[in-house]
Amino acid sequence: MKKLFIVALLVVGMTSFAQERQLTPEQRDQLQLKKMTLDLDLNASQQKEMSKIIAEQSAKREARMAERKATNDVAEKQLTADERFANKNQMLDEQMAMKERMKKILTSDQYKKWDDIKGKQHRGMKKRMAHNKDKKAANMDDKK
């Protein structure tokens, strides 16, 4: 789940550069499905199932973003340890459920390839986040 979420974030991030011509959520979903079809060589029934999954994830992502924005507008709030635990626990549960769904839809070769792609994307995201964190720390030092 997290890995697919990361892919979706990457797609959203890449499309956000065209500020005046942003893609609709349906267009982003369709592009994500086509990319998965090319990467994993999905058949028609697999594409149909993946389309449902991508649409569900897109809706969940939009709802979380709206909720986060509403929370940030109210106040800059630090999450308690219990809230962070609950969020992390929910995310991991969603990831496990996603893996199970993918195992049912994909063949073993496709699943292995999907898992490898997600791992590479996750490592790349971690690398970029660490790089950005280093940049922020350097900028904070410059301001002092």
Side-chain angles (χ1 to χ4, degrees):
M1 172 73 182
K2 183 178 179 184
K3 293 176 182 176
L4 196 53
F5 179 71
I6 290 170
V7 169
L9 284 177
L10 290 173
V11 170
V12 170
M14 286 188 272
T15 59
S16 67
F17 285 111
Q19 294 176 0
E20 296 160 359
R21 300 171 212 214
Q22 289 184 359
L23 298 175
T24 65
E26 293 80 19
Q27 289 172 328
R28 286 191 304 262
D29 293 351
Q30 188 176 17
L31 290 176
Q32 185 178 359
L33 177 63
K34 285 188 178 193
K35 181 161 178 23
M36 287 184 79
T37 300
L38 286 172
D39 290 344
L40 303 175
D41 195 30
L42 301 177
N43 62 35
S45 64
Q46 289 173 323
Q47 287 179 28
K48 190 175 180 182
E49 290 296 317
M50 286 308 304
S51 176
K52 292 176 189 175
I53 290 174
I54 291 170
E56 288 172 16
Q57 288 181 328
S58 181
K60 284 181 186 179
R61 183 176 48 258
E62 294 291 327
R64 278 194 298 261
M65 287 173 37
E67 179 183 332
R68 198 173 317 123
K69 183 175 180 173
T71 308
N72 287 341
D73 288 346
V74 172
E76 290 294 323
K77 169 186 153 181
Q78 289 288 337
L79 295 178
T80 65
D82 289 338
E83 289 172 329
R84 280 195 309 270
F85 173 77
N87 288 345
K88 184 73 170 176
N89 197 29
Q90 178 186 2
M91 183 182 65
L92 292 172
D93 287 343
E94 289 174 2
Q95 284 179 18
M96 290 186 312
M98 181 62 176
K99 278 192 165 199
E100 287 302 314
R101 287 177 81 178
M102 295 303 281
K103 282 181 183 177
K104 290 178 183 175
I105 295 170
L106 301 175
T107 65
S108 61
D109 290 339
Q110 288 173 325
Y111 179 79
K112 183 178 179 342
K113 189 171 183 178
W114 174 79
D115 202 33
D116 290 344
I117 291 169
K118 300 301 161 219
K120 287 178 185 174
Q121 289 170 343
H122 181 70
R123 286 187 296 278
M125 179 71 78
K126 277 184 117 174
K127 193 174 185 179
R128 282 189 301 279
M129 288 174 63
H131 180 70
N132 288 338
K133 189 175 181 180
D134 292 341
K135 276 181 156 178
K136 283 183 181 180
N139 287 341
M140 295 298 275
D141 290 341
D142 291 343
K143 290 181 181 179
K144 289 181 182 178

